[in-house]
Amino acid sequence: MQLKAQYHAFTTILIKEFMRFIRIWVQTVLPAGITMALYFIIFGNLIGSQLADVHGQRYIDYIVPGIILMAVINNSYANVVSSFFSAKFQRHVEEMLVSPMPNYLILSGFVAGGVARGLVVGAVVTVVASFFVDLHFYSFGLTVLVLLMTAILFALAGFINAVYAKTFDDISIIPTFVLTPLTYLGGVFYSIDMLPRFWQSLSLGNPILYMVNAMRYGMLGVADINVFTAISIILSFVVGLFLFALWLLNRGIGVRS
């Protein structure tokens, strides 16, 4: 398949995925903005105003990076898991698999669509946050890098979930019982320094902790985890999940009946 044809194949999937969620933005983008605004009001203004500073930062300022990242995680994941499972359910993914389009382009197209939704929602939540705090970036480049890598990682995770899912109920199990607990226990609303030593050690096994702290360092310049360690772990997960998802697609697992 020629390079130009590959480019058109990739952009076709990406545009389809983008239009899929932007066409119903009232259901896909707006709810995240409203939900995160409630987080800022309840945890930031009402509860946060009663709490001491964390690492020299007001509590509401401290939780902003994690809340933005939480929105990116949820929406990157949700877009791909629902889109690819729908493609399986309606059986039009088989048309892509028998076309000359390489499997890595199919995977990249769906992941790029998830990343697009994650970043769009992340931008909306950032705008919402600007009404509650004075946003500043310790390292804008690092912040963007963390957002992009996190969106890719969870778009890949959503793809893998969709591959294994056999019913619509299956695509809600992982977000409910795995993703949500890991997110809330990933240091979004607290520093692990506040925890007893045992729970600090246990928290280090949560990959979202590294993403939240890398994001927090990019915006505020403070973190519980070494930022280079955090970036390395995120990158390792991205590469590992991409190779695994591509292997699943190449083997036809969960796709070819």
Side-chain angles (χ1 to χ4, degrees), residues 245-256:
L246 186 59
W247 178 79
L248 291 174
L249 204 54
N250 288 336
R251 293 290 300 271
I253 296 174
V255 177
R256 295 189 179 97

Side-chain angles (χ1 to χ4, degrees), residues 28-236:
T28 56
V29 178
L30 184 60
I34 295 173
T35 300
M36 297 307 159
L38 292 174
Y39 277 121
F40 289 125
I41 292 172
I42 297 172
F43 291 100
N45 284 346
L46 299 182
I47 297 177
S49 61
Q50 309 298 316
L51 301 178
D53 291 351
V54 182
H55 291 312
Q57 305 288 333
R58 290 190 310 156
Y59 183 73
I60 189 171
D61 293 322
Y62 188 79
I63 66 174
V64 165
I67 289 179
I68 294 173
L69 200 66
M70 185 165 61
V72 172
I73 288 172
N74 291 335
N75 284 273
S76 299
Y77 189 98
N79 195 77
V80 181
V81 71
S82 61
S83 178
F84 191 75
F85 181 78
S86 296
K88 280 177 48 180
F89 183 77
Q90 296 166 4
R91 307 191 74 84
H92 70 257
V93 70
E94 296 174 359
E95 299 173 5
M96 290 188 285
L97 292 173
V98 299
S99 72
M101 183 166 42
N103 286 342
Y104 71 84
L105 276 184
I106 298 174
L107 174 60
S108 299
F110 278 96
V111 169
V115 170
R117 176 171 165 181
L119 295 182
V120 167
V121 172
V124 170
V125 174
T126 302
V127 171
V128 171
S130 68
F131 289 99
F132 297 90
V133 300
D134 294 325
L135 290 176
H136 59 278
F137 297 91
Y138 181 78
S139 173
F140 184 77
L142 177 62
T143 303
V144 173
L145 176 64
V146 173
L147 284 172
L148 183 60
M149 292 175 64
T150 301
I152 293 172
L153 193 159
F154 282 95
L156 286 166
F159 184 92
I160 293 169
N161 186 182
V163 166
Y164 282 110
K166 291 182 173 60
T167 67
F168 281 99
D169 290 335
D170 292 339
I171 67 176
S172 64
I173 292 176
I174 298 298
T176 302
F177 295 103
V178 178
L179 195 56
T180 299
L182 286 179
T183 302
Y184 281 95
L185 297 174
V188 173
F189 298 104
Y190 58 87
S191 166
I192 62 170
D193 290 343
M194 300 175 177
L195 303 176
R197 186 165 299 277
F198 171 78
W199 292 106
Q200 288 185 34
S201 301
L202 195 62
S203 295
L204 295 177
N206 183 350
I208 294 180
L209 177 72
Y210 299 91
M211 303 169 204
V212 170
N213 275 275
M215 179 72 174
R216 186 169 286 138
Y217 188 85
M219 293 188 69
L220 304 176
V222 299
D224 298 323
I225 308 293
N226 181 278
V227 67
F228 296 106
T229 301
I231 294 297
S232 299
I233 290 174
I234 299 170
L235 182 59
S236 298

